[in-house]
Amino acid sequence: MGSLPALIAVLALVVTLVLVVAYTLATGVSPMPTGRAARASLLGELPADIGGTVFELGAGWGGLAAALARRYPTRSVVGYELSPVPWLFAALGRWCTGPANLTLRRADFLRADLSPAALVVCYLCPAGMARLRPKLEAELRPGSVVVSHFFALPGWRPDEPVVRAADAARSPIYRYRFPRCLARTVAPGGEPGRNP
Ligand SMILES: C[S@@+](CC[C@H](N)C(=O)[O-])C[C@H]1O[C@@H](n2cnc3c(N)ncnc32)[C@H](O)[C@@H]1O
């Protein structure tokens, strides 16, 4: 009988690990949080104020989402996270310590309405960025800002210079202003062309 709590604890741990791995495989992105140095660089790249909703696409364990909500206390900050374990952790943190302007939805951001966005923040993977691009192009309003940790949006032109975090990977932080980021590039041959 005495080993029942231990057995339950082991089972809970196994279920937790299986869920994290299963959702990592399903989304193609692990719930690895943005590190401290990269988070500081990313927060430094954000506009002073914005006129709409802040979305964090793939909010993971909720640390960056909470920092965004503290950064914009008068704005609504919405974090989307599909993986149930990080989402539950983030939701419990939100319930315990706020901030009140933060909402965490356990949902697929590819099915969300991003049209109220003034600012979109993400840290995904190359394939995830490629999936996100047409959705952003279809839904963002002029003047919206997109900030991505580490992975660029394929074919979009970031603000220059691209900032690098003071971490071991010198993680790039890309900032895009929509729709200026779609501006055609001039190819070496002189012919204007779409960004690759
Ligand atoms: C690398 S983590 C980043 C966590 C957090 N944004 C940060 O920077 O600290 C990416 C997260 O995106 C989530 N994710 C990936 N695709 C998603 C989707 N389509 N909808 C919701 N969440 C998604 C993953 O489950 C993962 O937790």
Side-chain angles (χ1 to χ4, degrees):
M1 279 305 276
S3 63
L4 188 61
L7 184 64
I8 291 172
V10 169
L11 270 178
L13 185 64
V14 169
V15 169
T16 300
L17 289 175
V18 167
L19 277 173
V20 169
V21 171
Y23 274 87
T24 296
L25 294 175
T27 62
V29 195
S30 82
M32 162 96 85
T34 292
R36 187 186 298 243
R39 187 187 296 183
S41 299
L42 188 151
L43 292 172
E45 285 304 289
L46 301 181
D49 194 17
I50 40 147
T53 303
V54 178
F55 287 97
E56 196 197 357
L57 307 184
W61 307 94
L64 181 56
L68 291 167
R70 278 188 226 100
R71 173 67 180 267
Y72 298 108
T74 62
R75 303 293 174 195
S76 173
V77 177
V78 181
Y80 282 91
E81 176 54 56
L82 207 46
S83 186
V85 174
W87 171 80
L88 185 61
F89 184 92
L92 286 174
R94 155 69 183 77
W95 185 67
C96 291
T97 60
N101 60 325
L102 173 61
T103 304
L104 291 160
R105 299 196 175 131
R106 199 188 84 72
D108 183 346
F109 59 69
L110 293 173
R111 295 169 180 267
D113 173 16
L114 301 181
S115 60
L119 172 64
V120 172
V121 176
C122 57
Y123 172 30
L124 297 169
C125 65
M129 298 302 276
R131 282 194 293 271
L132 184 57
R133 173 182 158 177
K135 181 169 179 62
L136 294 177
E137 290 180 2
E139 296 181 19
L140 287 187
R141 291 176 302 175
S144 307
V145 175
V146 178
V147 178
S148 174
H149 171 204
F150 212 94
F151 299 104
L153 272 154
W156 281 26
R157 192 200 308 221
D159 287 355
E160 297 285 350
V162 172
V163 163
R164 300 237 162 214
D167 57 13
R170 305 286 297 145
S171 306
I173 307 291
Y174 298 96
R175 185 178 64 194
Y176 303 92
R177 292 164 200 273
F178 188 84
R180 198 170 76 191
C181 54
L182 304 178
R184 284 166 179 265
T185 53
V186 178
E191 278 296 302
R194 184 83 163 82
N195 296 335

